[in-house]
Amino acid sequence: MIYLDNAATTMRKPQEVIDAITAAMCSMGNAGRGVNEASLGAARTVYDTREKLAGFFGAEDARQIVFTMNSTESLNIAIKGILNPGDHVISTVLEHNSVLRPLYEMEKKGVEVTFLGCDEKGTLDYADFEKAIKENTKAIVCTHGSNLTGNKVDVERIGEIAQKHGLLFVVDASQTAGVFPIDVQKMHIDILCFTGHKGLLGPQGTGGMYVRKGVHVRPLLSGGTGVQTYSKTQPEEMPTALEAGTLNGHGIAGLDAAIGYLEETGIDTIRAKEQALMKRFYEGVKEIPGVKIYGDFSSMDRCAVVSLNIRDYDSGEVSDALLTDYGISTRSGGHCAPRMHEALGTVEQGAVRFSFSHYNTEEEVDTAIRAICELAEEE
């Protein structure tokens, strides 16, 4: 199988990640729940990973890094933990359901939500953010990169707007963490939400969030923490405040190794390879009669994603043909980005998404180009 669905999850992981998980499965106890070597070893792994993530994202303190199971959990904690009835929040049509659905829930509880639109290429107008600010605006929540078009959002520019107006800034880095440099201080990010199983090359079931010092987030969960056992309330100190229950220690061990791999290989090297593959594919299919590509390709400094359709051919049928006839795995349908599809006019048809990893090859890309050419001719 030629795997070109890396925006959903990176299937191929570094061998270091696999080895770390295997070792942890054979030796790891429960971090913070004992003084035996198995428990202490787990605690050391968790702490080391916090330190690496803090450095990776430019956090001021490792204690501001919280572990979750994925971006969805992180975004739920953030959105439900900072907004109150009467607040106003600004978001965009680019968002994944991990942002949209928590916002809809908060809207039912009295939070006012404004979704900013985009142009025909899925590009935001940054002037719209300031225009949308009201007296009761509490936060801006937006993605760093669209999982449908691959367009990268200038979060530093939005962060400056948020800081200027005293707003909280929450960023969904699901498609960018591990591929693009992220500095939460420079970008004025108050809460960064990320997953471990995509660009970070870690295992599924891992993720986390950075919370700036001084930003209070209500816990989504409460329960065992290993500390303050006799308190009736969740501890307020970070990161314990937002980490109830046993952590995914085995997964965190894999994430720890993944970050080590990224640091050694270099995210600039990884990004250059992925973008080169994306460009090769884009250049190979953009002139094929009947093929429509979505997104802004005026700059190749974007997520390694190309979404397209062939005339009015159902995207699911195209994806099935790619897998059945060519052994190419892609993603079709709505991509959990309903507002983006509404903006692009592809609600009924969906789109076929090709997303690339640095593990992919030029030969695989050329096979995908040939497949699209032949399918377009057949149709």
Side-chain angles (χ1 to χ4, degrees), residues 61-293:
D61 191 323
R63 288 172 293 186
Q64 303 309 116
I65 300 293
V66 175
F67 289 110
T68 64
M69 63 180 177
N70 47 42
S71 290
T72 299
E73 183 180 6
S74 298
L75 287 161
N76 271 264
I77 293 171
I79 291 169
K80 297 174 182 178
I82 64 172
L83 296 175
N84 299 292
D87 288 341
H88 172 241
V89 59
I90 300 168
S91 191
T92 79
V93 298
L94 277 63
E95 309 309 318
H96 188 277
N97 274 334
S98 298
V99 170
L100 297 178
R101 285 174 174 164
L103 285 177
Y104 296 149
E105 285 186 47
M106 297 308 292
E107 195 171 32
K108 289 182 178 179
K109 295 180 179 180
V111 173
E112 184 183 359
V113 184
T114 296
F115 291 105
L116 303 182
C118 64
D119 64 17
E120 67 280 358
K121 292 185 177 180
T123 303
L124 297 170
D125 183 344
Y126 295 96
D128 289 344
F129 284 91
E130 283 200 283
K131 293 177 184 176
I133 295 173
K134 304 179 179 183
E135 286 188 5
N136 61 330
T137 303
K138 177 74 171 290
I140 297 174
V141 183
C142 77
T143 185
H144 191 194
S146 169
N147 73 313
L148 175 55
T149 65
N151 291 357
K152 186 160 69 75
V153 175
D154 189 348
V155 293
E156 184 172 354
R157 185 172 177 181
I158 300 172
E160 290 172 353
I161 295 171
Q163 185 185 54
K164 175 183 174 182
H165 293 276
L167 308 178
L168 293 175
F169 186 33
V170 181
V171 173
D172 174 9
S174 299
Q175 294 296 326
T176 56
V179 180
F180 291 90
I182 297 174
D183 186 325
V184 293
Q185 307 300 320
K186 182 181 178 183
M187 295 174 170
H188 311 291
I189 297 172
D190 293 295
I191 302 177
L192 179 76
C193 301
F194 58 91
T195 193
H197 70 100
K198 297 186 182 185
L200 286 175
L201 301 176
Q204 295 178 10
T206 62
M209 57 194 299
Y210 155 80
V211 180
R212 186 182 298 279
K213 279 189 176 181
V215 174
H216 176 68
V217 181
R218 289 187 301 274
L220 185 67
L221 302 174
S222 59
T225 57
V227 297
Q228 300 183 26
T229 295
Y230 297 101
S231 172
K232 293 182 179 180
T233 58
Q234 188 74 4
E236 295 182 359
E237 296 79 10
M238 289 286 285
T240 311
L242 302 178
E243 289 181 348
T246 297
L247 296 174
N248 179 8
H250 305 123
I252 291 171
L255 184 59
D256 184 63
I259 298 166
Y261 171 85
L262 292 172
E263 291 175 337
E264 182 178 349
T265 305
I267 65 171
D268 292 343
T269 300
I270 290 172
R271 183 172 67 257
K273 173 70 180 298
E274 293 181 356
Q275 290 177 337
L277 295 172
M278 170 196 64
K279 182 178 180 181
R280 186 182 186 93
F281 179 76
Y282 172 74
E283 295 292 342
V285 300
K286 69 176 183 178
E287 301 296 339
I288 298 175
V291 170
K292 180 175 177 58
I293 298 173

Side-chain angles (χ1 to χ4, degrees), residues 22 47 282 346 360:
T22 302
Y47 179 78
Y282 172 74
T346 52
N360 290 124

